[in-house]
Amino acid sequence: MPPSVAPPVSSPSPSTSRRRTSASVVLRSVLEHGPVARSTIARLTGLSPASVTDYCSRFTELGLIRESELPRRSQGVGRPHVPVDLDATRFVVGGVHVAVPYTTVALLDLRGRVVAVRELRHGRDGRGDRDGRNERADGADAHAVLARAADALAALLARAPRLRCLGVGFAAGGWVDRDSGTVVEHPLLGWHEVPVRDVLGARTGLPVHVDGHARALVNAERLFGRARGSRSVLQLFVGNVVDAAFATNDEVHHGPRSQAGAIAHLPVPGGTEPCACGRTGCLQAELSERTLCRRARRAGIVEGVNPMHVVAAAAAGDPVAARLLVERAGAVGRAVRLLLDVLNPETVVVTEVGVLHREDCLAALREGVGDDRAASVLPSSFPDSVLAVAGGSVALDVLYRDPLAASPEAI
Ligand SMILES: [Zn+2]
């Protein structure tokens, strides 16, 4: 029987829910402060020392935490307080992220660090090159993509026989419904009502959790990134798909059927790009990587649809490539401003290729936002692994919300 992270119980009794919340609070405290003494956890969380000790014993039995090797001495007093810390050596989660041109498959440890990763380009033989010339996601047949992702995950796990996989997280852009585990609509991939949780679950034998990638990245920032501790966070993802997610007090807003965050057709001030919806200057049409690459191709800077080639050209001194990236970052900033005015989050995290790699793009982003709120806008905490982290974080969020559901019998 595979190890499991049970799916959230739909209507927990008040006592179950309280226990779950306390368990989550204690494990999050170890994640954020470890190595940390149990007495410190009690002080930080307001839980009783006896209750913290009890949770820590259960997490130790499960293998999620362990006593740290170096005891810390409390100040001035001789008695050592043996701190506890996450045990990041035993468990991983799988992460699957499906983008328009390729799938990212990864293993993440309990700290959200990528321990293994593979990219699989969509296509008939799966070995097409990453710079493919086609803009359409040819060969992105849903069942074939998911089958190859499951096989790649199995191969990564086979190479790490000492690591046990607690579950798989799946993230993608478009409209993704967490509760039903379905990609409802992803027009760029041509996916419609794809039961990802069932398909990946059957193929891997592991529990699978599914969410939209902007929401997945909000959770990653809350758990492992710079937005940790922020009371409200907005994540804006600007790739081929452009979407957003918003969390307050540790809860990501989903709305009915998880439709929140669909901002593809929000009008960008000053936008000129025609959109498939018939209007001009829609956020996704204006800011997508496809539009960036089309403009770069027209200027003779790159071939193909890989935005990293535009970043590389700018880094090599091409002024037009740099200008295209800076203009795009400025437009992203103006879009962020609109969202700031609506939602007023404490922190905004932007995942956009120029902003992640260039100071001038980050400056243009903040200028587009405006001086008064520029300081609350941050680039993603995961510049080199954002897609792998998005997939894995869907499963890690479930673990940190309900750690005791990781059954010791199964493990
Ligand atoms: Zn539109």
Side-chain angles (χ1 to χ4, degrees), residues 86-133:
L86 283 181
D87 186 347
T89 63
R90 299 173 60 158
F91 299 114
V92 286
V93 297
V96 175
H97 179 279
V98 178
V100 175
Y102 59 96
T103 301
T104 305
V105 177
L107 302 179
L108 272 67
D109 71 12
L110 298 182
R111 293 186 195 284
R113 296 177 301 203
V114 176
V115 297
V117 65
R118 223 187 127 194
E119 282 176 6
L120 311 165
R121 190 164 179 84
H122 306 322
R124 245 161 277 148
D125 64 359
R127 289 197 302 269
D129 102 73
R130 224 191 119 167
D131 313 330
R133 306 293 150 90

Side-chain angles (χ1 to χ4, degrees), residues 174-178 184 215 244 253-263:
W175 176 8
V176 181
D177 181 21
R178 175 185 59 172
V184 181
R215 286 190 292 270
H253 182 64
H254 280 72
R257 288 208 78 192
S258 298
Q259 270 191 286
I263 54 165

Side-chain angles (χ1 to χ4, degrees), residues 264-266 273-285:
H265 301 284
L266 204 71
E273 195 71 28
C275 178
C277 77
R279 287 175 293 179
T280 295
C282 291
L283 199 59
Q284 184 164 296

Side-chain angles (χ1 to χ4, degrees), residues 231-257:
R231 277 161 300 180
S232 49
V233 187
L234 172 73
Q235 159 78 44
L236 179 64
F237 185 96
V238 186
N240 281 312
V241 174
V242 178
D243 53 14
F246 184 53
T248 48
N249 297 321
D250 249 10
E251 285 299 326
V252 179
H253 182 64
H254 280 72
R257 288 208 78 192

Side-chain angles (χ1 to χ4, degrees), residues 371-407:
D371 285 348
D372 56 328
R373 295 302 303 273
S376 51
V377 181
L378 306 170
S380 167
S381 304
F382 316 101
D384 303 316
S385 57
V386 67
L387 301 181
V389 168
S393 291
V394 178
L396 288 169
D397 178 59
V398 172
L399 173 72
Y400 279 100
R401 281 183 192 282
D402 191 4
L404 291 177
S407 153

Side-chain angles (χ1 to χ4, degrees), residues 192-219:
H192 176 71
E193 297 286 356
V194 177
V196 172
R197 183 168 65 209
D198 295 347
V199 173
L200 269 185
R203 191 98 184 183
T204 61
L206 290 162
V208 176
H209 307 280
V210 172
D211 211 344
H213 65 188
R215 286 190 292 270
L217 287 171
V218 163
N219 285 325

